[in-house]
Amino acid sequence: SLQDQFDNLEKHTQWGIDVLEKYIKFVKERTEIELSYAKQLRNLSKKYQPKKNSKEEEEYRYTSTRAFLATLNEMNDYAGQHEVISENMTSLITGELTRYVQELKQERKSHFHDGRKAQQHIETCWKQLEASKRRFERDCKEADRAQQYFEKMDADINVTKADVEKARQQAQLRHQMAEDSKAEYSSTLQKFNSEQHEHYYTHIPNIFQKIQEMEERRIVRIGESMKTFAEVDRQVIPIIGKCLDEITKAAESVDHKNDSQMVIEAFKSGFEPPGDIDFEDFTQPMKRTVSESSLSNSRGDGKSEPKFGSKSKGKLWPFIKKNKLMSLLTSPHQPPPPPPASASPSAVPNGPQSPKQQKEPLSHRFNEFMTSKPKIHCFRSLKRGGAGPEDFSNLPPEQRRKKLQQKVDELNRDIQKEMDSRDALTKMKDVYIKNPQMGDAASVDHRLAELGQNIERLRLEVQKFEGWLAEVEGRLPARTEQPRRQSGVYEAQNASGVNSCAQDRESPDGSYTEEQSQETEMKVPATDFDDEFDDEEPLPTIGTCKALYTFEGQNEGTISVAEGEMLYVIEEDKGDGWTRIRRNEDEEGYVPTSYVEVYLDKNAK
């Protein structure tokens, strides 16, 4: 029936809307995935970006790390394209289809409302026709009965004339009513047939046509949305391709030769390799001494080296990993080690409290230097990021030269900034002088004086660092020179190098404690001490002491103490007038023995 067709169409069109809403949900979830993917890509790129003012930022000067940084940046742009996909799909598909679904629901509702209305109208006409037909049938039956009653009354002789007349009039009335019902039924029937024809041939086909057009538009719209779905992806493919091309270009820019050269430039020290070791003739009955060109006496009597010989015997400096000897065998341009190291008992060969020093091998003195806590403490502070010497003398020559050059350039830039500021203020002052209403010229005098003082201070700093730079550049060997014996290199050093060696032989009070000939022979290039000294164990305490007076430890290697302070003793006076003490794990040094009262532990070694 027609009603069944309406039900079928209603179900089908509702299914079509459900399909459209399902596709909208699909696209919406796709946009959420794109946004999530873009966010994860951005977080990934941000996670591996170098932190500002960190060591990682310095590592990005190499071509390989710069290529990696370019990859991170391109991945950020790559993520941006996925955000574009999400935005375009949301605006062009999800948003448009959502509005279209609302319009489609309203249109569908309107069409089926019209269909139900038409169906109800034809049903009403059918009911009217049925009622008219039943009424006509009833009136005809009533007219027949009335006619039969009249004929019966007219044939009966016993009935009065008045009753016959009454029956005749009643039969005529019923007959007239039947004729009227017949006319009404005929009119109603014609009207129904017309309405039925109009219903089945005009109204219902129009409604079905509108529903068909609506459904076809829905199908076309979902097809266009699927096409847009692909086009949105296709539009970003060229940009994504450019991102990938940039990553490929960055990868192709990686230059292994350049990176290797940068590593060489960054870490080359400028030291000369050590010279050959002289032959030591053990057949001579005379006392052995360290030759002028040798680095150490580690091949001598093993019994005289209980601490050092067991690990480094027979090894040269380039191959020794834990070479504590490097803490004192520094090049002439390096700063002198802390005075307490050279003021130890082994460094006082002629002291009255160390009569056996003349007979001790040089390795014993090395052991004293190697166990010198101030030296180890210095390198630990460097590893923890502590501030180094102002002249960068803790660095190898080449690295020191670069640092000094950077400092000079930085100071020159600061001077230029101050001079620019001074010029600007000078011009402002001239304007104020010419136009007093614009400002007071005297108000800038104070600032000009400050700028002048700053410029003068910076120039003095530049002169100081340029002096150190000239000293380093004067000491660095020429690039084309052939390697020479280490002892010959240092014998050719200028007087400042010798003076720096002499400073190593001063105790905290300035006294000279060791012969120069032995000092100048013990110089080799410094290496990386971070891992070597970090594992050192602190010296054990051998007692306690009480400060009798306040001592301001101003010299390197000394420590300040307050009167009445209790401290730990880790090395007693060896005859040079100094006692080594410790306040805590990171603070130790030398104080004059006369300034403290020592209480030694009898069981201490």
Side-chain angles (χ1 to χ4, degrees), residues 498-518:
V498 177
N499 292 337
S500 66
C501 296
Q503 293 176 7
D504 294 347
R505 296 182 298 279
E506 292 181 2
S507 60
D509 61 351
S511 60
Y512 189 80
T513 60
E514 193 172 337
E515 297 176 357
Q516 179 177 346
S517 60
Q518 295 176 341

Side-chain angles (χ1 to χ4, degrees), residues 184-202:
E184 182 184 356
Y185 171 64
S186 177
S187 173
T188 304
L189 181 61
Q190 290 178 359
K191 182 179 178 182
F192 174 77
N193 289 334
S194 175
E195 291 288 344
Q196 182 176 252
H197 185 275
E198 188 77 16
H199 176 77
Y200 284 102
Y201 288 93
T202 304

